[in-house]
Coordinates of all heavy atoms in Angstrom, one line a residue:
M3 N 2.5 -11.2 -0.5 CA 3.0 -12.1 0.6 C 3.2 -13.5 -0.1 O 2.3 -14.0 -0.7 CB 1.9 -12.2 1.6 CG 2.4 -12.9 2.9 SD 1.1 -12.9 4.2 CE 1.1 -11.2 4.6
P4 N 4.4 -14.0 0.0 CA 4.7 -15.3 -0.7 C 4.0 -16.5 0.0 O 3.8 -16.5 1.2 CB 6.2 -15.3 -0.6 CG 6.6 -14.5 0.6 CD 5.5 -13.5 0.7
L5 N 3.8 -17.4 -0.8 CA 3.2 -18.7 -0.4 C 4.3 -19.7 -0.3 O 5.0 -20.0 -1.3 CB 2.1 -19.1 -1.3 CG 1.3 -20.3 -1.0 CD1 0.5 -20.1 0.3 CD2 0.5 -20.8 -2.1
Y6 N 4.5 -20.3 0.9 CA 5.6 -21.3 1.0 C 5.0 -22.6 1.2 O 3.9 -22.8 1.7 CB 6.4 -21.0 2.3 CG 7.2 -19.7 2.2 CD1 6.8 -18.6 2.9 CD2 8.3 -19.7 1.4 CE1 7.6 -17.4 2.8 CE2 9.1 -18.5 1.3 CZ 8.7 -17.4 2.0 OH 9.5 -16.3 1.9
E7 N 5.7 -23.6 0.7 CA 5.3 -25.0 0.8 C 6.1 -25.7 1.8 O 7.3 -25.6 1.8 CB 5.4 -25.7 -0.6 CG 4.9 -27.1 -0.5 CD 4.9 -27.8 -1.8 OE1 5.6 -27.4 -2.7 OE2 4.3 -28.9 -1.9
Y8 N 5.5 -26.3 2.7 CA 6.2 -27.1 3.7 C 5.8 -28.6 3.6 O 4.7 -29.0 3.1 CB 5.7 -26.7 5.1 CG 6.3 -25.3 5.5 CD1 5.7 -24.2 5.1 CD2 7.4 -25.3 6.3 CE1 6.3 -22.9 5.5 CE2 8.0 -24.1 6.7 CZ 7.4 -22.9 6.3 OH 7.9 -21.7 6.7
I9 N 6.8 -29.4 3.9 CA 6.5 -30.8 4.0 C 6.8 -31.3 5.4 O 7.9 -31.1 5.9 CB 7.4 -31.5 2.9 CG1 7.0 -31.1 1.5 CG2 7.3 -33.1 3.1 CD1 7.8 -31.8 0.4
C10 N 5.9 -32.0 5.9 CA 6.0 -32.5 7.3 C 7.0 -33.6 7.3 O 7.1 -34.5 6.5 CB 4.6 -33.0 7.7 SG 4.7 -33.9 9.3
R11 N 7.9 -33.5 8.3 CA 8.9 -34.5 8.5 C 8.4 -35.8 9.0 O 9.0 -36.8 8.9 CB 10.0 -34.0 9.4 CG 10.7 -32.8 8.9 CD 11.7 -32.2 10.0 NE 12.2 -30.9 9.6 CZ 12.8 -30.1 10.5 NH1 12.9 -30.5 11.8 NH2 13.3 -29.0 10.1
E12 N 7.2 -35.7 9.6 CA 6.7 -36.9 10.3 C 5.9 -37.7 9.3 O 6.1 -38.9 9.3 CB 5.8 -36.4 11.5 CG 5.3 -37.5 12.4 CD 6.5 -38.1 13.1 OE1 7.5 -37.4 13.3 OE2 6.4 -39.3 13.5
C13 N 5.0 -37.1 8.6 CA 4.1 -37.9 7.8 C 4.3 -37.6 6.3 O 3.7 -38.3 5.5 CB 2.7 -37.7 8.2 SG 2.0 -36.1 7.8
G14 N 5.1 -36.6 6.0 CA 5.3 -36.3 4.6 C 4.2 -35.5 3.9 O 4.3 -35.2 2.7
H15 N 3.3 -35.0 4.7 CA 2.2 -34.2 4.1 C 2.7 -32.9 3.7 O 3.4 -32.2 4.4 CB 1.1 -34.1 5.2 CG 0.0 -33.2 4.7 ND1 -0.9 -33.5 3.7 CD2 -0.4 -31.9 5.1 CE1 -1.7 -32.6 3.5 NE2 -1.5 -31.6 4.3
A16 N 2.3 -32.4 2.5 CA 2.7 -31.1 2.0 C 1.6 -30.2 2.2 O 0.5 -30.5 1.8 CB 3.1 -31.3 0.5
F17 N 1.9 -29.0 2.7 CA 0.9 -28.0 2.9 C 1.5 -26.6 2.6 O 2.7 -26.4 2.7 CB 0.3 -28.1 4.3 CG 1.3 -28.0 5.4 CD1 1.5 -26.8 6.1 CD2 2.0 -29.1 5.8 CE1 2.4 -26.8 7.2 CE2 2.9 -29.1 6.8 CZ 3.1 -27.9 7.5
E18 N 0.7 -25.7 2.3 CA 1.2 -24.3 2.0 C 0.8 -23.3 3.0 O -0.3 -23.4 3.7 CB 0.6 -23.9 0.6 CG 1.1 -24.8 -0.5 CD 0.4 -24.5 -1.8 OE1 -0.7 -24.1 -1.8 OE2 1.1 -24.7 -2.9
V19 N 1.7 -22.4 3.3 CA 1.5 -21.4 4.3 C 1.8 -20.0 3.7 O 2.9 -19.9 3.1 CB 2.3 -21.7 5.5 CG1 2.1 -20.6 6.6 CG2 2.0 -23.0 6.1
L20 N 1.0 -19.1 4.0 CA 1.3 -17.7 3.6 C 2.2 -17.1 4.7 O 1.8 -17.1 5.9 CB 0.0 -16.9 3.4 CG -0.6 -17.0 2.1 CD1 -2.0 -16.3 2.1 CD2 0.2 -16.4 1.0
Q21 N 3.3 -16.5 4.3 CA 4.2 -16.0 5.3 C 4.8 -14.7 4.8 O 5.0 -14.5 3.6 CB 5.3 -16.9 5.7 CG 4.9 -18.0 6.6 CD 6.1 -18.9 7.1 OE1 7.0 -19.0 6.3 NE2 6.0 -19.4 8.3
R22 N 5.2 -13.9 5.7 CA 5.9 -12.7 5.3 C 7.4 -13.1 5.0 O 7.9 -14.1 5.5 CB 5.9 -11.6 6.5 CG 4.7 -10.8 6.5 CD 4.9 -9.7 7.5 NE 4.7 -10.2 8.8 CZ 3.6 -9.9 9.6 NH1 2.7 -9.2 9.1 NH2 3.5 -10.4 10.8
M23 N 8.0 -12.3 4.2 CA 9.4 -12.5 3.9 C 10.2 -12.6 5.2 O 10.1 -11.7 6.1 CB 10.0 -11.4 3.1 CG 9.6 -11.5 1.6 SD 10.5 -12.9 0.8 CE 10.2 -12.5 -0.9
G24 N 11.1 -13.6 5.3 CA 12.0 -13.7 6.5 C 11.3 -14.2 7.7 O 12.0 -14.4 8.7
E25 N 10.1 -14.5 7.6 CA 9.4 -15.0 8.8 C 9.7 -16.5 8.9 O 9.7 -17.3 7.9 CB 7.9 -14.8 8.6 CG 7.1 -15.1 9.9 CD 5.7 -14.6 9.8 OE1 5.5 -13.4 9.7 OE2 4.8 -15.4 9.7
G26 N 10.0 -16.9 10.1 CA 10.3 -18.3 10.3 C 9.1 -19.2 10.4 O 8.0 -18.7 10.7
G27 N 9.3 -20.5 10.2 CA 8.2 -21.4 10.3 C 8.4 -22.5 11.3 O 7.9 -23.6 11.2
D28 N 9.2 -22.2 12.3 CA 9.6 -23.2 13.2 C 8.5 -23.7 14.1 O 8.5 -24.8 14.6 CB 10.7 -22.7 14.1 CG 12.0 -22.5 13.4 OD1 12.1 -23.0 12.3 OD2 12.9 -21.7 13.8
D29 N 7.5 -22.9 14.2 CA 6.4 -23.3 15.1 C 5.2 -23.8 14.3 O 4.1 -23.9 14.8 CB 6.0 -22.1 16.0 CG 5.6 -20.9 15.2 OD1 5.9 -20.9 14.0 OD2 5.0 -20.0 15.7
L30 N 5.4 -24.1 13.0 CA 4.3 -24.6 12.2 C 4.0 -26.0 12.6 O 4.8 -26.8 12.9 CB 4.7 -24.6 10.8 CG 4.6 -23.3 10.0 CD1 5.1 -23.4 8.6 CD2 3.2 -22.8 10.0
R31 N 2.7 -26.3 12.6 CA 2.3 -27.7 12.9 C 1.6 -28.3 11.7 O 0.9 -27.6 10.9 CB 1.3 -27.7 14.1 CG 1.9 -27.5 15.4 CD 0.9 -27.6 16.5 NE 1.5 -27.4 17.8 CZ 2.1 -28.4 18.5 NH1 2.1 -29.6 18.0 NH2 2.6 -28.1 19.7
C32 N 1.9 -29.5 11.5 CA 1.3 -30.2 10.3 C -0.2 -30.3 10.6 O -0.6 -30.7 11.7 CB 1.9 -31.6 10.2 SG 1.1 -32.7 9.0
P33 N -1.0 -30.0 9.6 CA -2.4 -30.1 9.7 C -2.9 -31.5 9.8 O -4.1 -31.7 10.1 CB -3.0 -29.3 8.5 CG -1.9 -29.4 7.5 CD -0.6 -29.4 8.3
V34 N -2.1 -32.4 9.4 CA -2.5 -33.8 9.4 C -2.2 -34.5 10.7 O -3.1 -35.1 11.4 CB -1.9 -34.6 8.2 CG1 -2.2 -36.1 8.3 CG2 -2.5 -34.0 6.9
C35 N -0.9 -34.5 11.1 CA -0.5 -35.2 12.3 C -0.2 -34.3 13.4 O 0.1 -34.8 14.5 CB 0.7 -36.1 12.0 SG 2.2 -35.2 11.6
N36 N -0.3 -33.0 13.2 CA -0.1 -32.0 14.3 C 1.3 -32.0 14.9 O 1.5 -31.7 16.1 CB -1.2 -32.2 15.4 CG -1.4 -30.9 16.1 OD1 -1.4 -29.8 15.5 ND2 -1.6 -31.0 17.4
E37 N 2.3 -32.5 14.1 CA 3.6 -32.5 14.6 C 4.3 -31.2 14.3 O 4.1 -30.6 13.3 CB 4.4 -33.6 14.0 CG 4.1 -35.0 14.6 CD 4.7 -35.1 16.0 OE1 5.8 -34.5 16.2 OE2 4.1 -35.7 16.8
L38 N 5.2 -30.7 15.2 CA 6.0 -29.6 14.9 C 7.1 -30.0 14.0 O 7.6 -31.1 14.1 CB 6.6 -29.0 16.2 CG 5.7 -28.2 17.1 CD1 6.3 -27.8 18.4 CD2 5.3 -26.9 16.3
G39 N 7.6 -29.0 13.2 CA 8.7 -29.3 12.4 C 8.3 -29.7 11.0 O 7.9 -30.8 10.7
A40 N 8.5 -28.8 10.1 CA 8.3 -29.1 8.7 C 9.4 -28.4 7.9 O 9.9 -27.3 8.2 CB 6.9 -28.6 8.3
D41 N 9.8 -29.1 6.8 CA 10.8 -28.5 6.0 C 10.2 -27.6 4.9 O 9.3 -28.0 4.2 CB 11.6 -29.6 5.3 CG 12.4 -30.4 6.3 OD1 13.0 -29.8 7.2 OD2 12.4 -31.7 6.1
R42 N 10.7 -26.4 4.9 CA 10.2 -25.5 3.9 C 10.8 -25.7 2.5 O 12.1 -25.8 2.4 CB 10.5 -24.0 4.3 CG 9.8 -23.0 3.3 CD 9.8 -21.6 3.9 NE 11.1 -21.0 3.9 CZ 11.2 -19.8 4.4 NH1 10.3 -19.1 5.0 NH2 12.4 -19.2 4.4
Q43 N 10.0 -25.8 1.5 CA 10.5 -26.1 0.2 C 10.8 -24.7 -0.5 O 10.4 -23.7 0.0 CB 9.4 -26.8 -0.6 CG 9.0 -28.1 0.0 CD 10.1 -29.0 0.3 OE1 10.7 -29.5 -0.7 NE2 10.5 -29.3 1.5
L44 N 11.6 -24.8 -1.5 CA 11.8 -23.5 -2.3 C 10.5 -23.0 -2.8 O 9.7 -23.7 -3.4 CB 12.8 -23.8 -3.4 CG 14.2 -24.2 -3.0 CD1 15.0 -24.5 -4.2 CD2 14.8 -23.1 -2.2
S45 N 10.3 -21.7 -2.5 CA 9.1 -21.1 -2.9 C 9.0 -21.0 -4.4 O 10.0 -20.7 -5.1 CB 9.0 -19.7 -2.3 OG 10.1 -18.9 -2.7
T46 N 7.8 -21.2 -4.9 CA 7.6 -21.1 -6.3 C 6.6 -20.0 -6.6 O 5.4 -20.1 -6.1 CB 7.1 -22.4 -6.9 OG1 5.9 -22.8 -6.2 CG2 8.1 -23.5 -6.8
F47 N 7.0 -18.9 -7.2 CA 6.1 -17.8 -7.4 C 5.4 -18.0 -8.7 O 5.9 -18.6 -9.7 CB 6.9 -16.5 -7.5 CG 7.6 -16.2 -6.2 CD1 8.9 -16.4 -6.1 CD2 6.8 -15.6 -5.2 CE1 9.5 -16.1 -4.9 CE2 7.4 -15.3 -4.0 CZ 8.8 -15.5 -3.8
A48 N 4.2 -17.6 -8.7 CA 3.3 -17.8 -9.9 C 3.9 -17.1 -11.1 O 4.3 -16.0 -11.0 CB 1.9 -17.2 -9.6
G49 N 4.0 -17.8 -12.2 CA 4.5 -17.2 -13.4 C 5.9 -17.5 -13.6 O 6.5 -17.2 -14.7
L50 N 6.6 -18.0 -12.6 CA 8.1 -18.2 -12.8 C 8.3 -19.7 -12.9 O 8.1 -20.5 -12.0 CB 8.8 -17.7 -11.6 CG 9.1 -16.2 -11.5 CD1 9.9 -15.8 -10.3 CD2 9.8 -15.7 -12.8
G51 N 8.8 -20.1 -14.1 CA 9.1 -21.5 -14.3 C 8.0 -22.4 -14.0 O 8.3 -23.4 -13.2
S52 N 6.9 -22.2 -14.5 CA 5.8 -23.0 -14.1 C 6.0 -24.5 -14.5 O 5.5 -25.4 -13.9 CB 4.5 -22.5 -14.8 OG 4.7 -22.4 -16.2
H53 N 6.7 -24.7 -15.5 CA 6.9 -26.1 -16.0 C 8.2 -26.6 -15.5 O 8.5 -27.8 -15.5 CB 6.9 -26.1 -17.5 CG 5.6 -25.9 -18.1 ND1 4.5 -26.7 -18.0 CD2 5.1 -24.8 -18.7 CE1 3.4 -26.2 -18.6 NE2 3.8 -25.0 -19.0
G54 N 9.1 -25.8 -15.0 CA 10.4 -26.2 -14.4 C 11.2 -26.9 -15.5 O 10.9 -27.0 -16.6
G55 N 12.4 -27.4 -15.0 CA 13.2 -28.2 -15.9 C 14.2 -27.4 -16.7 O 15.3 -27.9 -17.0
A56 N 13.8 -26.2 -17.0 CA 14.7 -25.4 -17.9 C 16.0 -25.1 -17.2 O 17.1 -25.2 -17.7 CB 14.1 -24.1 -18.2
A57 N 15.9 -24.8 -15.9 CA 17.1 -24.4 -15.1 C 18.0 -25.7 -14.8 O 19.2 -25.5 -14.6 CB 16.7 -23.8 -13.8
T58 N 17.4 -26.8 -14.8 CA 18.2 -28.0 -14.5 C 18.5 -28.9 -15.7 O 19.0 -30.0 -15.5 CB 17.4 -28.8 -13.4 OG1 16.1 -29.1 -14.0 CG2 17.2 -28.0 -12.1
A59 N 18.1 -28.4 -16.8 CA 18.3 -29.2 -18.0 C 19.8 -29.5 -18.2 O 20.7 -28.6 -18.2 CB 17.8 -28.5 -19.2
G60 N 20.2 -30.7 -18.3 CA 21.6 -31.1 -18.6 C 22.4 -31.2 -17.3 O 23.6 -31.6 -17.3
A61 N 21.9 -30.8 -16.2 CA 22.6 -30.9 -15.0 C 22.2 -32.1 -14.1 O 21.1 -32.3 -13.8 CB 22.4 -29.6 -14.1
P62 N 23.2 -32.9 -13.9 CA 22.9 -34.1 -13.0 C 22.5 -33.6 -11.6 O 23.4 -33.2 -10.9 CB 24.2 -34.9 -13.1 CG 25.2 -34.0 -13.4 CD 24.6 -32.9 -14.3
A63 N 21.3 -33.7 -11.3 CA 20.8 -33.2 -10.0 C 21.4 -33.9 -8.8 O 22.1 -33.3 -8.0 CB 19.3 -33.2 -9.9
C64 N 21.2 -35.2 -8.7 CA 21.6 -35.8 -7.4 C 22.0 -37.3 -7.7 O 21.4 -38.2 -7.1 CB 20.4 -35.8 -6.4 SG 18.9 -36.4 -7.0
G65 N 22.9 -37.4 -8.6 CA 23.4 -38.7 -8.9 C 24.3 -39.2 -7.8 O 24.9 -38.3 -7.1
P66 N 24.6 -40.4 -7.7 CA 25.6 -40.9 -6.7 C 27.0 -40.6 -7.1 O 27.3 -40.5 -8.3 CB 25.4 -42.5 -6.8 CG 24.8 -42.7 -8.1 CD 23.9 -41.5 -8.5
G67 N 27.8 -40.3 -6.1 CA 29.2 -39.9 -6.4 C 29.3 -38.6 -7.1 O 30.2 -38.5 -7.9
G68 N 28.5 -37.6 -6.7 CA 28.6 -36.3 -7.3 C 29.6 -35.5 -6.6 O 30.7 -35.9 -6.2
F69 N 29.2 -34.2 -6.4 CA 30.1 -33.3 -5.6 C 30.2 -33.7 -4.2 O 29.4 -34.5 -3.7 CB 29.6 -31.9 -5.8 CG 29.6 -31.4 -7.2 CD1 28.4 -31.4 -7.9 CD2 30.7 -31.0 -7.8 CE1 28.3 -31.0 -9.3 CE2 30.7 -30.6 -9.2 CZ 29.5 -30.6 -9.9
T70 N 31.1 -33.1 -3.5 CA 31.4 -33.4 -2.1 C 31.7 -34.8 -2.0 O 32.0 -35.7 -1.7 CB 30.2 -33.1 -1.2 OG1 29.2 -34.1 -1.4 CG2 29.6 -31.7 -1.4
Ligands
ZN10 ZN1 2.4 -34.5 9.4

């Protein structure tokens, strides 16, 4: 069962939730401010790209005036 990370839109608190694949998180409440609505972050599985950066090396992630 994958562990998903959510970030509360209200207070920015990040918390993790165990969910089944494909299960929605629309009814999740922030444990800090108890607000509904949190943005799910890309899941990071243990052992995969623990240090990150390799996939994004040399790619301008979010500079101004990029695509679109
Ligand atoms: Zn919150």
Side-chain angles (χ1 to χ4, degrees):
M3 195 175 291
L5 185 67
Y6 293 106
E7 182 178 16
Y8 286 82
I9 294 184
C10 174
R11 296 174 190 162
E12 191 66 25
C13 70
H15 175 69
F17 54 101
E18 294 174 330
V19 180
L20 277 173
Q21 283 187 328
R22 276 188 285 254
M23 280 287 193
E25 192 169 293
D28 293 339
D29 58 346
L30 279 176
R31 284 183 182 275
C32 172
V34 172
C35 66
N36 206 37
E37 281 290 325
L38 280 174
D41 292 322
R42 185 163 74 183
Q43 306 301 295
L44 291 178
S45 58
T46 53
F47 295 101
L50 283 183
S52 54
H53 291 289
T58 57
C64 52
F69 299 101
T70 70

